Amino acid sequence: MQPLPPLMTETHSSSPPTQCVVLAGGLGTRMHPRTQTVPKALLPVGGVPFVDHQLRWLAAHGVREVVFSVGYLGDMIEDHVGNGDSFGLPVRYVHEGKELRGTAGALRLALDLGVLDEHFLLTYGDSYLPVNFAEVAQAFAASRLPALMTVFRNEGRWDTSNVAFDSACKRVILYDKSRTLRPVHEFEYIDYGLSALRRETIEQEVPSGVVYDLAQVFHRLSLRGELAGFEVFQRFYEIGSPAGLAELEAQLAGV
């Protein structure tokens, strides 16, 4: 294996990002029939729309602005959340329309519309992540790398592990969603669902106007030794499946 390249020394801003992009444009097919009339972000969790739980967590853990990237039934999310005043967070929206562009394509659209900060956090509209977002942002700023991925030692428990992580140098040695490559370190970790990126990384890695998956970007960055890693020690929760929703309800209820 080639040695990792040194940390970037370019004159990037080193202040931690406080903007968080939430990708919430998916169709939610695994949650049919409930998501045929309601987007996943508005599914009730403990009697409260999921997005309320998510935004309250973000506001309490270092996020100062949210950009929702919405598509399917996105107007319903905007109608419910509004400008974010009730959550103590300014909220803006990027509408993909009916033709979804993929996770990276959605970020490129946000960049082209001028709403991305110089560096930003990224999570998903069906993910509840009990981690301090401010700490992740600070780790990203300190890394001076093009992107950071939070990782969790999964060992195949909650989903297929897809990350080889070197905890000593705090880098993702290989991110391979398809697991076609054999890493020097075993695939013991999984993408936790919270990332941080530079705006210029999206500009350089993602073409405009095409469907593009963020997994492709993270894969290339990991091969170049340019993907920082931040290890998280508490499991993630998601409402993308009936079982996941039930687990989160139990967690929030303290069961």
Side-chain angles (χ1 to χ4, degrees):
M1 183 177 112
Q2 295 296 320
L4 292 172
L7 294 179
M8 295 169 64
T9 58
E10 290 87 339
T11 57
H12 290 295
S13 169
S14 59
S15 58
T18 59
Q19 181 188 72
C20 185
V21 178
V22 180
L23 298 180
L27 300 176
T29 53
R30 289 188 297 161
M31 293 299 285
H32 282 182
R34 283 177 277 188
T35 49
Q36 289 177 314
T37 55
V38 176
K40 276 190 295 184
L42 296 184
L43 289 175
V45 179
V48 177
F50 170 74
V51 71
D52 292 23
H53 296 290
Q54 186 180 50
L55 287 175
R56 287 169 185 157
W57 183 273
L58 296 183
H61 292 87
V63 173
R64 296 294 173 260
E65 182 193 45
V66 169
V67 174
F68 272 104
S69 175
V70 297
Y72 176 69
L73 300 178
D75 288 341
M76 295 179 68
I77 298 174
E78 185 169 2
D79 289 344
H80 176 74
V81 175
N83 63 7
D85 279 352
S86 59
F87 302 97
L89 280 173
V91 175
R92 292 190 283 172
Y93 301 87
V94 174
H95 288 265
E96 289 188 74
K98 294 182 179 180
E99 299 297 326
L100 300 182
R101 303 162 186 248
T103 49
L107 289 177
R108 181 68 202 214
L109 176 62
L111 182 151
D112 291 341
L113 293 176
V115 302
L116 287 185
D117 281 356
E118 179 186 353
H119 41 203
F120 58 93
L121 296 165
L122 172 70
T123 190
Y124 299 90
D126 60 359
S127 297
Y128 187 84
L129 307 176
V131 60
N132 189 326
F133 280 48
E135 290 183 3
V136 175
Q138 290 163 4
F140 173 54
S143 78
R144 297 185 176 272
L145 289 172
L148 176 146
M149 175 183 287
T150 55
V151 298
F152 176 71
R153 188 183 285 274
N154 178 61
E155 297 176 326
R157 286 175 288 176
W158 284 284
D159 207 337
T160 303
S161 298
N162 52 27
V163 172
F165 173 61
D166 187 330
S167 59
C169 65
K170 297 181 180 179
R171 302 230 193 153
V172 173
I173 303 303
L174 177 63
Y175 172 71
D176 190 5
K177 197 171 181 179
S178 63
R179 291 171 57 101
T180 56
L181 299 180
R182 184 176 179 85
V184 174
H185 297 264
E186 292 299 320
F187 284 117
E188 295 181 335
Y189 291 81
I190 193 169
D191 176 6
Y192 187 72
L194 171 61
S195 308
L197 298 105
R198 298 189 180 278
R199 183 175 58 209
E200 68 180 32
T201 302
I202 299 302
E203 185 174 19
Q204 294 168 358
E205 299 286 341
V206 183
S208 290
V210 300
V211 177
Y212 215 82
D213 195 326
L214 197 56
Q216 298 170 259
V217 176
F218 285 145
H219 178 66
R220 288 198 301 270
L221 291 175
S222 72
L223 291 176
R224 300 201 300 256
E226 295 179 347
L227 183 56
F230 182 96
E231 186 172 2
V232 178
F233 298 95
Q234 185 169 345
R235 63 155 295 188
F236 54 89
Y237 294 89
E238 52 80 25
I239 61 162
S241 66
L245 190 150
E247 288 177 341
L248 178 57
E249 283 192 318
Q251 169 68 14
L252 294 177
V255 176

